[in-house]
Structure formats: C-alpha cells, structure tokens
Amino acid sequence: MKHKGYYLLIFFIGIKVHSQISNSTDKRPFFVVPEILIGKTGEANTGFPETKLQKSFFVSFGRRSRMIDQQWAILLGYPKTGVSLGVTDFGNTEKLGMAYTVMPFIEVGIFRKYSSRWNLNIGMGSSYIDKQFHPDTNPFNQAVTTKINWAFRSFVYYDIFRKEALNWRLGVGYTHYSNGHTRLPNQGLNSFLVSLSSSIGKEDKISDKDRIIQKEKRIRSSETYFSGRIGIGQNVLSRIYNDKKEVYSIALSAGKIINRTFKFGAGFYYRFYEQYYDHINENGPLISEQVPNFRDNPYRYATNLGFFASTEFLMGHVGVEIDLGINIYKPFYKIDWQLSQGYFFKGEYTRLGELDSYYQIKRTISSKLEIKYYLFNTNKSPKNNIYIGASINANLGQADFSDLSLGYVYRFNFKERKHTRSN
C-alpha cells in the first residue's frame, strides 16, 4: 500500500464537501478567492537552510452551506465550504523547493455577537513538495523527506472592505507540512503568515428570514452508536531503519451522537507494528542488550493496546474526528524512542535517546486526527453506515504513523425533542 492513497482520499473528500452542498435547485452564488500570503518558514532543525520571505498564492472556490435540512450547517451558522489550490515558495527554492497544494476547507463566522467581519478558516489536504532531505546533496533540510505530504492551515480573517460582489480581507495564520512519519527525518515545515485576499462573486448573505428558518429547523436529538474500524498504515523506525512498513489496527468504540452533528465516544484499540516485529526477529540494536526476552514472543512485544476518547464533527457525508488516548501496553516503544531520538555517525549510534520524563509522556499518551467519508448522509441518521478514513496517529503530538481505514457505525435508541418556537 502506498501512502499516496491517503492524499487521494483527502482530495476526493474535499471535492465531495464542495459538491454535496449543491443540488438541482441550488441558487446559491459561487465565489472565488485569490489570496497572496507572506511570512516566514520556521527552522526545522539545527543548521536549517537560510530562508528569505515565504510567499504563497492560493485560489479558493466555494459556496455557503445553505442547507436548511442539515443540522451541522445550521449549528455553524451556514459556513462556507470549498477547495483551495495553492503554490508556495518557502524562501529557498534550491534547498526547500516549492509546494503545490490541494486543500478542502471550512470557514465559519466568529465573534458574531460583536461583529460580522471575523471568520475562521481551517483546511486539511495534501501537498507535493519538489525538494526533500538528502543525506549527501541536501542534508540540512530535515523538514520533509517525501514528495507527497499532509498539509494543514488555520487562519483568522477580517473583512476590511465589503461591496455586493467584492470583499477585501486581511488574514493571519499558520501552515504545516509533514509526511506523518512515513519517512525520516520529518521535522515538518511550519510557517506563520499574513495574507491579503478578495472574495469575488456575490456572496450569499444570511437574512432575518434565514435566521428564523435556522431556529425553526434546529432539532435537539440524541442517539447511541457502536462503531468498529480496521486500518492499515505505514511508518518507519528511525533514520537508520528508514524503510516503510505496515501498521495494522483494530478499534471498537461506543457513545452518543448529539443533534446529528456532534459524536462523542470512547473505545479500545489494538495495533501491530511490522517494524517492531522485524526488529525483534532480526535481533536488531538494543534487543539482546536490553530486552532479550522479546525474542521469545516477537508478535506479543510488537503490539500496542490502549483506550481512547473521541470527538467527531459530522457534516453530511464527511466527518472530522480527534482522539486522545492512553497506551496501556506498548513495550517496544522504549527501544523505538532510544533509536528514533538518538544520534548516529556513519550508520552507527553515538548516543541513544534519553528515557526521561518527556519519553514517559510520549509513551503514555496517544492522539489521532482523522477525516472520513461516509457512504450514507449522517444527517439522515442511518441505522447502518460505512466509511473510509485517512488519519495521522501520534504519540502525543509527535507523528507515529499514517493510516487508511474502513469503518462501520451502527446507530440506535434515537430520541428527538421537538423544537418550540419562541415569540
């Protein structure tokens, strides 16, 4: 399995986010947003190549999600959704190269109680970066080592000049590019940027009538769910053991879905790391010296068990989930940490990663960010649903592996509280 499949899934989901809000009677205007961004690329490592001003150009295509029968759109005040296409010069084309990005986004109003000019835009997608780390020709760019990478952005915008078909705005935000631990080094490219953009096209405004409809269509409901997923991912062990191998996972969870939009649950996961299994079987570094008993049962010591709590935001066919978990069994991570955080020279380790308090936190806490595409519209509360998902799994905030999954959700015990219109 090639990790490019994750990014094709992200692209497909982005197109679906944009297209699912349209139908044959849709009269909502379509808008285009050209955007210029400037800022600074942060140093990813000691000796990182010197950079000049970072420059980006993006074009976004979108519409307002004016779906009066979709609870997620109502709860968010009819957000804007769409797809952004961009090109980025990180400030050193010889060493850092250029990034070409496809990124689905959602934009919601913030501080609405005080002003209608503020918006928050969040995007997640994929990017092709044409310069990577190379031990001989580009050794000091340890930010990315693969051509295809995850891409994230989070921006706050303020409308400075608004007319019927043109809206100028200023923005400030953060971008991140990395490969999700599918090859090392993977320090990531992080940037803080300011932007100037203009929304071209008559944007669909929310009228008083819309707000009344919004209140009338808001429905309070709850239902119980049970979910299971299987996944196959990829990661590497260290910069010396840098070949991608599979991570197989199974997870079960249960919880509540509130207002057909917010999904809260808890569950249990099991993972098997091919990297760990092979390292034990091959009697790799530190096995005989520290954990010779691992060779008696390599399968057992290559596994990971844990509990997690999850929060998911459901948007019709699309879902975005964040998990926070606790590893109750991950014995090989002690070896993983020492190798991945160690220093080496000419293929030999000169110093191992220290088993300090930072290691203890990383060993204990797991996290995951996943974007999903559901076969059936979640707003219709289908009893049975299937999804495919792409995720980044981490030890706290440090990427562990990228994953592609297939999941099943069963809903039951639906309860609805009818809306009572207030005068």
Side-chain angles (χ1 to χ4, degrees):
M1 181 189 70
K2 293 186 179 294
H3 67 274
K4 291 181 181 180
Y6 312 142
Y7 310 113
L8 291 175
L9 173 61
I10 295 292
F11 175 77
F12 172 74
I13 290 175
I15 297 299
K16 189 64 182 178
V17 167
H18 181 51
S19 64
Q20 75 174 10
I21 63 177
S22 303
N23 55 53
S24 58
T25 61
D26 193 358
K27 303 297 183 181
R28 291 171 298 108
F30 178 83
F31 60 85
V32 179
V33 184
E35 181 178 14
I36 297 173
L37 306 96
I38 58 173
K40 190 66 175 176
T41 304
E43 294 186 2
N45 52 268
T46 302
F48 191 68
E50 184 177 346
T51 60
K52 297 180 180 178
L53 200 65
Q54 178 179 321
K55 302 170 288 292
S56 299
F57 178 72
F58 274 76
V59 179
S60 301
F61 306 89
R63 283 176 172 166
R64 188 181 292 281
S65 303
R66 189 64 65 83
M67 296 173 291
I68 62 173
D69 61 335
Q70 297 279 9
Q71 291 298 305
W72 71 270
I74 294 172
L75 289 170
L76 288 183
Y78 304 121
K80 301 172 186 176
T81 57
V83 178
S84 297
L85 307 176
V87 57
T88 297
D89 172 359
F90 292 106
N92 186 334
T93 55
E94 181 182 355
K95 298 299 183 181
L96 305 184
M98 305 280 288
Y100 305 91
T101 304
V102 179
M103 185 179 297
F105 72 85
I106 181 169
E107 184 172 312
V108 299
I110 56 175
F111 312 134
R112 282 297 187 247
K113 186 176 180 180
Y114 307 100
S115 173
S116 62
R117 294 179 178 267
W118 293 93
N119 293 279
L120 173 66
N121 182 297
I122 296 175
M124 174 181 176
S126 63
S127 186
Y128 176 90
I129 300 177
D130 59 14
K131 295 289 183 182
Q132 302 85 40
F133 165 85
H134 190 280
D136 298 320
T137 61
N138 199 10
F140 296 109
N141 172 15
Q142 297 179 19
V144 294
T145 317
T146 55
K147 294 181 182 295
I148 305 297
N149 293 271
W150 293 94
F152 303 89
R153 64 177 274 163
S154 178
F155 269 74
V156 173
Y157 292 102
Y158 180 76
D159 299 339
I160 56 175
F161 180 77
R162 294 191 297 194
K163 281 199 170 183
E164 186 175 355
L166 185 65
N167 179 19
W168 288 93
R169 59 187 192 167
L170 292 173
V172 59
Y174 162 83
T175 62
H176 172 78
Y177 301 83
S178 66
N179 66 34
H181 209 72
T182 55
R183 187 170 292 276
L184 295 178
N186 179 47
Q187 301 295 99
L189 287 163
N190 299 286
S191 306
F192 290 94
L193 304 158
V194 295
S195 80
L196 175 66
S197 61
S198 61
S199 180
I200 303 171
K202 186 178 179 182
E203 290 194 26
D204 200 8
K205 304 299 180 182
I206 301 176
S207 66
D208 291 339
K209 180 180 178 182
D210 294 326
R211 298 186 189 282
I212 293 173
I213 294 175
Q214 180 182 357
K215 290 181 180 180
E216 290 178 340
K217 290 290 183 176
R218 185 174 295 177
I219 298 171
R220 293 184 179 182
S221 65
S222 69
E223 49 199 312
T224 305
Y225 79 88
F226 172 81
S227 180
R229 66 181 291 273
I230 55 174
I232 179 170
Q234 288 185 330
N235 78 343
V236 297
L237 182 55
S238 72
R239 287 181 58 182
I240 292 181
Y241 302 96
N242 210 7
D243 293 329
K244 288 179 286 188
K245 295 184 180 180
E246 271 60 54
V247 179
Y248 302 95
S249 61
I250 299 173
L252 300 175
S253 62
K256 288 285 188 179
I257 299 174
I258 307 300
N259 298 337
R260 300 175 180 168
T261 304
F262 302 105
K263 187 163 166 263
F264 303 100
F268 174 84
Y269 57 80
Y270 162 85
R271 297 165 180 167
F272 172 77
Y273 290 75
E274 203 171 69
Q275 291 280 2
Y276 296 174
Y277 181 84
D278 289 347
H279 195 81
I280 296 170
N281 261 342
E282 294 164 5
N283 198 24
L286 305 185
I287 298 300
S288 294
E289 299 93 320
Q290 295 190 15
V291 287
N293 59 305
F294 280 16
R295 300 200 68 195
D296 297 335
N297 193 339
Y299 183 87
R300 170 186 173 185
Y301 293 107
T303 59
N304 170 211
L305 305 174
F307 294 100
F308 68 94
S310 66
T311 301
E312 184 175 352
F313 187 69
L314 301 172
M315 299 176 287
H317 288 276
V318 177
V320 178
E321 179 178 325
I322 298 175
D323 294 356
L324 189 63
I326 297 177
N327 292 315
I328 59 173
Y329 185 77
K330 196 173 184 179
F332 192 90
Y333 190 67
K334 174 185 176 183
I335 307 300
D336 182 332
W337 177 267
Q338 292 179 87
L339 297 179
S340 63
Q341 302 301 311
Y343 296 90
F344 60 91
F345 179 72
K346 293 184 178 180
E348 297 291 333
Y349 280 96
T350 59
R351 193 176 80 183
L352 298 174
E354 297 182 14
L355 301 176
D356 52 16
S357 59
Y358 192 52
Y359 152 74
Q360 296 291 345
I361 295 173
K362 295 281 189 179
R363 179 183 64 84
T364 305
I365 300 176
S366 66
S367 58
K368 183 182 77 168
L369 172 63
E370 182 173 19
I371 184 168
K372 306 175 181 178
Y373 176 73
Y374 287 90
L375 180 61
F376 303 112
N377 191 326
T378 59
N379 192 70
K380 297 180 179 179
S381 296
K383 181 172 287 188
N384 301 284
N385 212 341
I386 296 172
Y387 69 84
I388 54 175
S391 66
I392 295 180
N393 297 264
N395 300 302
L396 191 56
Q398 182 181 23
D400 186 13
F401 65 94
S402 294
D403 180 75
L404 191 65
S405 64
L406 175 67
Y408 167 77
V409 179
Y410 175 73
R411 298 189 187 198
F412 58 99
N413 196 27
F414 179 82
K415 297 178 181 179
E416 181 175 301
R417 185 184 303 172
K418 293 186 179 295
H419 170 83
T420 302
R421 182 175 175 182
S422 58
N423 294 325

